[in-house]
Amino acid sequence: MFHEKKIYSLIFVAFFISLITSFVLIKNFDKYEISTDNLENHSIIKGDIPDIWIDGQTIKNDLIEGKNYFYSGKEIFRSYLPPRLIALFSYVFNYELFEDWDSKIFSTDNKKIYYLILQSLFYYLSLFLFFKKIKKYFELRTCFFITVFLAIEPTIFFYHSSFHTESIFFTMQILMLTLLMEDIDKIKNSILVGFLLGLMFLQKLVAIYYIIPISIYYLFKLRLKGVIPLFFIILFCSLIISLVGYGNYKRAGVFYFMPPSSKITLHLYFPSIIISKAEKINAIDAEKIVQKDKNQWLKKNKIDLKLEKNRIIYYNYLQEYSIKTLLKYPFTSFKYISWRTLQTGILNPTYIIDFMRHESGKKPAWYQEKKYKDFYIPIRIFYSVIIYSIIVYGFFSARKKIKVEHHILLILSSAYMLALLGWANNSRYFAPILIYLSIYFGHGVNNLVKNQKL
């Protein structure tokens, strides 16, 4: 017999375990691995995290010097919100992010644990609110298994103990699902959805087009009555995003809200390799073709990359060049992207632990080494097959237990995230999809338990 108190206790216990995990990881990994002459040497602050911390410190320094908020910081290369959250944390808690700012040496005093505590607290509070919502739609035991998955599934769980951007994004995803479950016709709810959607984009760029599945969901559920709520969602989301554009305009004299990383990511992954495979030439020759095209374009358009305005134009060119390359070789592009997407779907429940222990910037990377592929990849595949099998079973067994409009929301949200992130060939980018699939996982486990009469 399941009671609500058991689920509330589960959430509290999972939060407590998350805190312990964070303390253990900070105690063991808040240090430099070899020396302090390279950002990559810090066991936790490495990969793309150092850029977030450096940008955060730059913003904090500018504000302390009296600069207007919109003039603070430098060119936003990645997502807008993460460095500002780090800057806010540093300012409010009077925490020094760097032991030596000039040499870019990060603090190793273990006090960064407070950021992780807040991160976990927000996530498990959002899970508490989510449970209070879903218990209106599903039987309590199903809600229990949904909550178990979201609370302790390691692919999700360990991000709360890291400084990656995923944990806060998970929190936003869960809050968004909570808001979208009911009362979507109310203007107050639409304002909250629009505000949260804007924040999701500021946290991770992948949310920029998430208004599309939300719009389909609204119009399917409310028909023409959904137009007005959608108007308020778009309005308030646009207001949030426009603040980014305004800040860029004040700082650099050009209005834009999509950071450069969103423009050049495709270029980093595809043109050279697609040309190489399609034209059957080696990678070096393909890269020479791409580089020659870029140089000719820069010379023809007289672009000075020292100016941020011109860099934005250049990034737009790189994006267009990448898309044209993909469209020029559609069959090769489809095969290559499909294979990368399939690889992305192989879950890695120990990604954060592996990242802290092994990520070093060395070539080949730790996950490309033979011993890792021979031992860990089969385990990851086995784990993924189990999780996906339960999800698929849950989907078919819950076809009539879940409202059609909720099916649409979950499926479109999952497909959207997969389409925008799957090609990256990194299991980290599949993790947000698990938030939506958790509903089917909970139904799957519940039906398996019923069939076994447990």
Side-chain angles (χ1 to χ4, degrees), residues 264-454:
I264 68 173
T265 302
L266 285 177
H267 191 79
L268 294 175
Y269 281 103
F270 292 118
S272 297
I273 190 68
I274 294 298
I275 292 173
S276 173
K277 290 179 177 295
E279 299 291 346
K280 294 181 172 43
I281 60 178
N282 63 56
I284 295 176
D285 290 338
E287 179 59 34
K288 288 180 180 178
I289 292 173
V290 174
Q291 192 61 48
K292 180 181 177 181
D293 290 340
K294 288 194 292 187
N295 291 337
Q296 288 179 344
W297 184 88
L298 287 169
K299 184 177 180 180
K300 178 182 177 181
N301 292 275
K302 299 179 181 179
I303 297 295
D304 180 5
L305 294 179
K306 294 180 180 179
L307 300 176
E308 186 171 343
K309 289 182 179 181
N310 288 345
R311 288 198 296 271
I312 298 302
I313 297 172
Y314 176 59
Y315 298 145
N316 289 334
Y317 159 75
L318 294 180
Q319 184 179 52
E320 292 172 5
Y321 183 91
S322 302
I323 293 173
K324 287 179 180 178
T325 302
L326 293 173
L327 294 177
K328 183 179 180 180
Y329 306 104
F331 182 67
T332 302
S333 300
F334 177 77
K335 277 202 315 181
Y336 184 63
I337 292 174
S338 297
W339 175 242
R340 290 177 66 88
T341 301
L342 185 63
Q343 291 177 306
T344 299
I346 302 175
L347 303 177
N348 187 358
T350 62
Y351 173 81
I352 294 301
I353 307 298
D354 292 337
F355 173 84
M356 292 183 182
R357 292 179 59 191
H358 304 302
E359 185 76 22
S360 64
K362 297 178 181 177
K363 301 295 181 181
W366 52 273
Y367 51 81
Q368 293 177 325
E369 295 177 355
K370 186 177 185 301
K371 62 180 180 180
Y372 181 88
K373 291 181 177 180
D374 291 345
F375 182 78
Y376 288 103
I377 293 298
I379 294 175
R380 287 176 53 191
I381 292 174
F382 179 72
Y383 179 78
S384 301
V385 169
I386 292 176
I387 296 295
Y388 293 144
S389 297
I390 295 173
I391 288 170
V392 171
Y393 175 66
F395 170 76
F396 285 105
S397 63
R399 284 176 298 173
K400 296 182 180 180
K401 296 178 182 179
I402 300 177
K403 292 183 178 182
V404 176
E405 60 265 28
H406 290 162
H407 273 302
I408 290 174
L409 175 63
L410 296 173
I411 293 172
L412 287 179
S413 296
S414 301
Y416 169 83
M417 291 291 174
L418 183 62
L420 267 69
L421 294 174
W423 51 265
N425 190 17
N426 187 331
S427 61
R428 171 186 168 190
Y429 298 127
F430 195 89
I433 302 173
L434 295 176
I435 301 298
Y436 308 113
L437 298 181
S438 65
I439 303 294
Y440 296 121
F441 180 88
H443 280 87
V445 175
N446 188 40
N447 278 279
L448 287 172
V449 171
K450 281 184 176 180
N451 290 339
Q452 295 299 319
K453 296 181 180 180
L454 297 178

Side-chain angles (χ1 to χ4, degrees), residues 109-229:
D109 54 8
N110 295 346
K111 292 181 181 179
K112 55 177 65 66
I113 183 66
Y114 297 118
Y115 185 91
L116 301 182
I117 292 173
L118 292 172
Q119 190 168 255
S120 292
L121 177 62
F122 291 141
Y123 178 80
Y124 287 100
L125 282 176
S126 73
L127 188 54
F128 171 82
L129 296 174
F130 185 57
F131 163 68
K132 289 177 68 69
K133 183 68 67 174
I134 62 174
K135 71 178 183 178
K136 300 178 182 179
Y137 297 95
F138 313 129
E139 60 179 281
L140 206 55
R141 187 160 61 178
T142 298
C143 294
F144 173 79
F145 291 122
I146 293 171
T147 306
V148 166
F149 185 83
L150 291 173
I152 62 174
E153 195 285 317
T155 312
I156 298 172
F157 175 81
F158 283 113
Y159 279 103
H160 310 317
S161 300
S162 82
F163 293 94
H164 289 81
T165 59
E166 272 71 18
S167 178
I168 292 174
F169 191 68
F170 294 158
T171 299
M172 293 177 176
Q173 285 180 282
I174 291 175
L175 289 175
M176 180 62 79
L177 279 179
T178 304
L179 289 172
L180 294 176
M181 291 295 283
E182 65 179 30
D183 298 331
I184 64 171
D185 56 328
K186 295 182 178 179
I187 301 303
K188 179 181 178 181
N189 186 279
S190 298
I191 292 173
L192 290 175
V193 169
F195 182 77
L196 181 57
L197 184 58
L199 290 180
M200 288 177 69
F201 164 71
L202 299 190
Q203 180 65 16
K204 287 187 82 67
L205 304 180
V206 67
I208 183 60
Y209 302 117
Y210 191 49
I211 185 61
I212 296 175
I214 288 178
S215 297
I216 295 173
Y217 170 66
Y218 265 72
L219 294 176
F220 179 87
K221 186 173 182 178
L222 300 178
R223 301 297 192 273
L224 290 178
K225 292 181 180 179
V227 173
I228 294 178

